[in-house]
């Protein structure tokens, strides 16, 4: 250690005393140029967010209820607590869309930008949803940002870049090059808005910038609105290709995929990614040491994703955003239409068993109908998102969509064949426990969450609960009665959770090496919003504000061959409280117990 100290003293002395070392002293800033503590060592902290999707306050405006699972206001608290003199705060886009944020696009200052400006972001990269509202709107929002806006791969019809592709920021004695790009697949989702514009490949653009600035900076950071893997097999649309082509990056902040990736190494590049709606915030530390030649070397990188549910919202920021909050809550109560002719779901026969899981209902049919409309899919699947999901006859407010669709899911469009669909349906049908002679009620696998069971539209089928899992779907046909063949290829509409968790990964349904369904489009009609916003749009703009409970009975449960009188008796005893299926310890599960003829015989 003493030798190291002597070497450093000698180096600084030489830098000040000799003409030869003067050239090196340009690479080693003086104490006057930066704080002495960062002359030789640096803990560069990067706090990174992405895909905040309009969640400026801990409030779900679509449902008009509190939601502290994440928000920019909570991120502000975390940033205040974590920030040091050597902190960069960056965001990789999808900022102004969803959670009623479109209300504020005509304002002089969008609440999401107001929040970012108050926090003091250094860099913001546009996400794909920033392009949903047209280029004039995007440029207006960009002009509101105090952060440096980076978009290195989007060019106007005149060949002018939408924004710079890089910036150089100094923290202490360290010169940091930041490069920002958006997924090139924006031309698929916003072709009309980008008509005449050119979107180039992020890998090619990053390579050009790195070659241009690599001798001017000490470290390179990527802030990219791209997921880890490519979409549509487009080279360079995922940061894996970027890391492999540009190993000079020390860190790449990814986005777009809405998943928590606290620490992933790709070609010795640290990659992080956040959940959506402000649920997480990446905290990255890059530890560097200056070498005797004046160059910095990365000696260690650590990172984690902080869960924002553990943080209170910043009171200063919430006060700043109070008028936006009030407007969004008022908008949630906007009347969008009327439900005539009855409720969407029938009354539960047994209180603890939601009826939409036992029979085809207008509730899930309505959701699937809308999903098929916006995707053009032949088949749609949806789950019950709450055991109490219901829409009552009468006036429909905008926030009422949350009463039938609880989650902030988005709509995905997949390509699937008949064999894959059958596998998907059998996986869903396994939710039921096998019916046995003597059972007079149905039961469910108590380890499976109720929202993992889907009802399907666009095909006719029977679900035989007397068969073992994997053999329950019978008489699977198209609406015209033609059997669904294993080789049939068609489009399926599902939510992003089902797609990413079960269908596009080899996990629950498909095994490693098997052909998976193909992703055709994610976040369908993202300009409108997620599925809840699409349901509201469907009521107001497609159905003319009037909907009625309609059910086509395309599926039914069979195989439960109990006597009707025995079942009716069991229902009566349950309603009278003389028997119980269970005392549910988890509201996300349905009862795994049944009543049998022996249970009801004593009454």
């Amino acid at each position: 250690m003493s030798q190291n100290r002597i070497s450093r003293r000698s180096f600084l002395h030489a830098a000040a005393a000799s003409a030869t070392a003067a050239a090196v002293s340009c690479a080693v800033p003086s104490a006057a140029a930066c704080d002495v503590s960062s002359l030789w060592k640096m803990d560069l902290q990067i706090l990174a967010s992405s895909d905040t999707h309009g969640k400026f306050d801990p409030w779900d405006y679509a449902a008009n209820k509190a939601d502290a699972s994440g928000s920019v206001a909570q991120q502000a608290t975390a940033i205040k607590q974590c920030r040091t003199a050597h902190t960069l705060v960056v965001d990789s886009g999808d900022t102004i869309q969803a959670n009623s944020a479109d209300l504020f696009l005509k304002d002089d200052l969008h609440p999401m930008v107001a929040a970012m400006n108050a926090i003091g972001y250094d860099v913001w990269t546009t996400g794909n949803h920033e392009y949903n509202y047209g280029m004039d709107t995007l440029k207006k929002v960009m002009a509101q940002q105090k952060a440096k806006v980076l978009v290195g791969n989007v060019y106007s019809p005149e060949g002018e870049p939408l924004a710079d592709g890089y910036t150089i920021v100094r923290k202490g004695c360290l010169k940091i090059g930041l490069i920002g790009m958006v997924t090139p697949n924006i031309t698929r989702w916003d072709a009309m808005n980008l008509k005449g514009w050119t979107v180039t490949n992020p890998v090619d653009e990053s390579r050009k910038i790195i070659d241009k600035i690599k001798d001017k900076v000490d470290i390179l950071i990527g802030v990219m609105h791209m997921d880890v893997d490519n979409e549509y097999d487009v080279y360079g649309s995922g940061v894996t290709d970027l890391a492999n082509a540009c190993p000079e990056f020390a860190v790449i902040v990814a986005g777009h995929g809405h998943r928590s990736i606290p620490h992933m190494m790709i070609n010795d590049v640290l990659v992080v990614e956040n959940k959506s709606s402000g649920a997480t915030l990446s905290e990255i530390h890059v530890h560097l040491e200056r070498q005797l030649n004046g160059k910095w070397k990365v000696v260690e990188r650590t990172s984690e994703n902080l869960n924002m549910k553990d943080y209170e919202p910043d009171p200063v920021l919430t006060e700043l955003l109070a008028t936006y909050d009030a407007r969004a809550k008022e908008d949630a109560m906007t009347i969008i239409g009327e439900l005539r002719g009855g409720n969407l779901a029938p009354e539960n026969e047994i209180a603890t068993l939601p009826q939409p899981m036992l029979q085809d209902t207008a509730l899930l049919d309505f959701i699937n109908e809308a999903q098929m409309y916006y995707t053009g899919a032949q088949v749609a699947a949806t789950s019950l998102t709450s055991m109490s999901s219901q829409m009552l006859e009468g006036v429909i407010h905008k926030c009422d969509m949350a009463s039938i669709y609880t989650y902030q899911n988005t709509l995905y469009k997949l390509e699937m064949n008949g064999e894959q669909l059958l596998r998907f349906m059998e996986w869903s049908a396994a939710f039921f426990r096998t019916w046995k002679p003597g059972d007079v009620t149905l039961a469910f696998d108590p380890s499976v969450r109720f929202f993992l069971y889907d009802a399907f539209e666009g095909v006719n089928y029977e679900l035989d609960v007397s068969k073992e899992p994997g053999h329950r779907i019978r008489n699977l046909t198209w609406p015209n009665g033609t059997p669904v063949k294993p080789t049939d290829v068609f489009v399926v509409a599902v939510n992003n959770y089902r797609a990413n968790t079960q269908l596009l990964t080899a996990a629950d349904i498909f095994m490693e090496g098997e052909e998976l369904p193909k992703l055709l489009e994610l976040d369908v009609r993202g300009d409108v919003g997620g599925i809840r916003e699409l349901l509201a749009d469907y009521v107001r703009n497609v159905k003319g504000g009037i909907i009625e409970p309609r059910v086509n009975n395309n599926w039914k449960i069979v195989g439960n061959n109990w006597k009707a009188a025995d079942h009716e008796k069991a229902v009566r005893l349950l309603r009278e409280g003389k028997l119980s299926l269970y005392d549910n310890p988890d509201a996300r599960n349905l009862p795994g117990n049944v009543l049998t003829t022996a249970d009801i015989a004593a009454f």
Side-chain angles (χ1 to χ4, degrees):
M1 185 173 289
S2 60
Q3 285 183 334
N4 196 31
R5 287 188 183 128
I6 292 170
S7 297
R8 289 183 178 178
R9 281 198 212 101
S10 300
F11 182 78
L12 288 174
H13 177 74
S18 71
T20 303
V24 179
S25 71
C26 294
V28 184
S30 66
C34 58
D35 58 284
V36 175
S37 65
S38 67
L39 277 171
W40 292 105
K41 288 187 177 183
M42 168 73 78
D43 174 7
L44 174 65
Q45 182 189 58
I46 306 163
L47 299 175
S49 57
S50 71
D51 299 277
T52 45
H53 287 288
K55 194 80 180 297
F56 57 85
D57 268 353
W59 194 270
D60 180 350
Y61 294 109
N64 206 18
K65 66 178 183 179
D67 178 8
S69 61
S71 67
V72 178
Q74 291 160 279
Q75 290 178 335
T77 298
I79 291 169
K80 279 185 177 180
Q81 292 179 7
C82 295
R83 201 173 215 149
T84 73
H86 302 144
T87 297
L88 279 171
V89 186
V90 304
D91 185 275
S92 60
D94 271 9
T95 304
I96 62 171
Q97 174 266 349
N99 201 40
S100 298
D102 58 327
L103 290 172
F104 311 107
L105 293 174
K106 294 182 179 180
D107 285 24
D108 291 336
L109 183 60
H110 193 281
M112 294 296 287
V113 181
M116 295 177 74
N117 289 346
I119 291 169
Y121 272 76
D122 295 286
V123 161
W124 178 61
T125 299
T126 63
N128 60 289
H129 283 297
E130 266 68 68
Y131 297 81
N132 289 164
Y133 310 103
M135 301 308 288
D136 289 342
T137 297
L138 174 53
K139 285 188 274 188
K140 176 182 177 180
V141 171
M142 288 169 56
Q144 298 168 13
Q145 277 278 7
K146 291 182 180 179
K148 178 67 176 180
V149 180
L150 298 182
V151 196
N153 61 321
V154 180
Y155 295 87
S156 73
E158 296 74 34
E160 296 296 321
L162 176 63
D164 290 338
Y166 75 95
T167 189
I168 297 176
V169 175
R170 193 171 191 139
K171 292 292 179 181
C173 297
L174 193 72
K175 290 172 289 187
I176 308 153
L178 294 112
I179 299 173
M181 306 281 167
V182 65
T183 169
N185 291 316
I186 56 175
T187 55
R188 291 174 177 260
W189 308 313
D190 280 296
M192 293 303 297
N193 291 335
L194 286 160
K195 190 174 182 179
W197 289 70
T198 300
V199 180
T200 54
N201 193 280
V203 171
D204 297 337
E205 296 288 359
S206 295
R207 185 72 265 164
K208 291 176 188 176
I209 292 172
I210 291 171
D211 291 341
K212 177 181 177 181
I213 70 171
K214 61 184 177 181
D215 295 328
K216 301 177 183 178
V217 299
D218 301 310
I219 186 173
L220 286 164
I221 308 295
V223 185
M224 307 290 172
H225 192 78
M226 299 187 289
D227 199 0
V228 171
D229 300 317
N230 292 336
E231 291 180 284
Y232 311 107
D233 297 322
V234 174
Y235 173 75
S237 61
V239 300
T240 297
D241 284 348
L242 185 63
N244 286 329
C246 304
E248 295 90 342
F249 282 115
V251 176
I252 294 176
V253 176
H256 188 56
H258 295 187
R259 50 183 175 152
S260 179
I261 301 177
H263 189 105
M264 176 184 287
M265 299 302 296
I266 302 175
N267 196 27
D268 199 35
V269 177
L270 172 61
V271 173
V272 299
E273 187 171 335
N274 280 288
K275 289 184 177 180
S276 67
S277 304
T280 60
L281 179 78
S282 296
E283 181 185 8
I284 306 153
H285 290 271
V286 183
H287 299 274
L288 303 102
E289 291 183 357
R290 190 191 294 278
Q291 308 302 293
L292 292 180
N293 62 4
K295 294 184 178 181
W296 288 91
K297 178 182 178 181
V298 174
V299 294
E300 185 182 12
R301 286 163 290 183
T302 64
S303 61
E304 63 176 318
N305 280 356
L306 309 177
N307 291 312
M308 292 301 99
K309 63 181 176 61
D310 299 328
Y311 292 81
E312 293 295 320
D314 178 58
V316 176
L317 191 59
T318 53
E319 177 62 26
L320 176 70
L321 301 173
T323 57
Y324 298 106
D325 173 69
R327 285 170 58 192
K329 288 175 178 174
E330 181 181 359
D331 177 72
M333 294 303 295
T334 301
I335 294 174
I336 62 170
E338 182 182 359
L339 173 61
R340 297 177 180 173
N343 303 336
L344 281 187
E347 181 184 354
N348 291 345
E349 183 184 43
I350 297 172
T352 54
L353 304 183
Q355 212 59 31
M357 307 188 80
L358 305 176
Q359 69 180 79
D360 195 13
T361 64
L363 176 68
L364 297 188
D365 278 8
F366 170 70
I367 297 170
N368 274 330
E369 179 184 318
Q371 291 188 147
M372 293 170 76
Y373 173 83
Y374 288 106
T375 59
Q378 289 75 51
V379 178
T382 192
S383 64
L384 196 67
T385 58
S386 168
M387 290 197 201
S388 59
S389 288
Q390 177 64 284
M391 181 175 287
L392 301 177
E393 182 177 12
V395 171
I396 304 171
H397 298 93
K398 190 175 180 180
C399 62
D400 289 334
M401 291 302 108
S403 66
I404 64 171
Y405 205 96
T406 305
Y407 301 118
Q408 298 182 51
N409 291 332
T410 57
L411 185 58
Y412 274 34
K413 182 177 177 179
L414 309 183
E415 182 180 273
M416 198 176 289
N417 61 40
E419 172 62 25
Q420 292 167 336
L421 176 63
L422 181 60
R423 293 274 294 278
F424 177 18
M425 297 176 74
E426 288 287 3
W427 169 83
S428 178
F431 177 66
F432 288 88
R433 293 190 66 170
T434 305
W435 182 87
K436 303 295 184 183
D439 293 349
V440 292
T441 59
L442 293 176
F444 305 85
D445 184 338
S447 68
V448 178
R449 305 301 189 210
F450 73 91
F451 49 74
L452 294 178
Y453 169 73
D454 284 340
F456 295 80
E457 189 57 66
V459 289
N460 300 327
Y461 63 100
E462 295 174 340
L463 195 163
D464 191 340
V465 291
S466 70
K467 304 298 183 184
E468 293 301 318
H471 305 279
R472 289 178 170 169
I473 301 301
R474 296 182 1 186
N475 300 322
L476 178 60
T477 66
W478 295 110
N480 64 5
T482 304
V484 175
K485 300 176 182 177
T487 54
D488 288 347
V489 177
F490 42 88
V491 174
V492 178
V494 295
N495 67 50
N496 64 304
Y497 178 88
R498 185 70 74 246
N500 290 324
T501 308
Q502 278 88 30
L503 296 173
L504 297 176
T505 58
D508 294 344
I509 301 175
F510 304 104
M511 300 298 106
E512 289 291 342
E514 292 186 327
E515 182 183 2
L516 300 175
K518 182 178 180 181
L519 175 63
L520 298 178
E521 186 176 351
L522 54 73
D523 296 352
V524 175
R525 288 303 307 272
D527 56 320
V528 176
I531 292 175
R532 289 188 308 201
E533 289 78 13
L534 289 173
L535 293 175
D537 183 77
Y538 191 68
V539 171
R540 181 162 44 191
N541 298 320
V542 178
K543 305 300 287 185
I546 304 297
I547 61 172
E548 298 176 351
R550 294 180 179 175
V551 57
N552 62 4
N553 295 308
N554 68 301
W555 66 273
K556 63 180 179 179
I557 291 174
V558 299
N560 51 327
N561 298 316
W562 53 54
K563 293 181 180 179
D566 289 340
H567 177 68
E568 290 168 4
K569 183 178 180 180
V571 170
R572 176 175 56 79
L573 292 170
L574 286 167
R575 288 179 175 175
E576 293 173 352
K578 295 177 179 177
L579 290 174
S580 175
L581 289 175
Y582 72 144
D583 180 17
N584 188 5
D586 191 329
R588 297 169 296 178
N589 295 344
L590 291 178
N593 297 324
V594 298
L595 295 185
T596 67
T597 52
D599 294 324
I600 66 174
F603 296 91

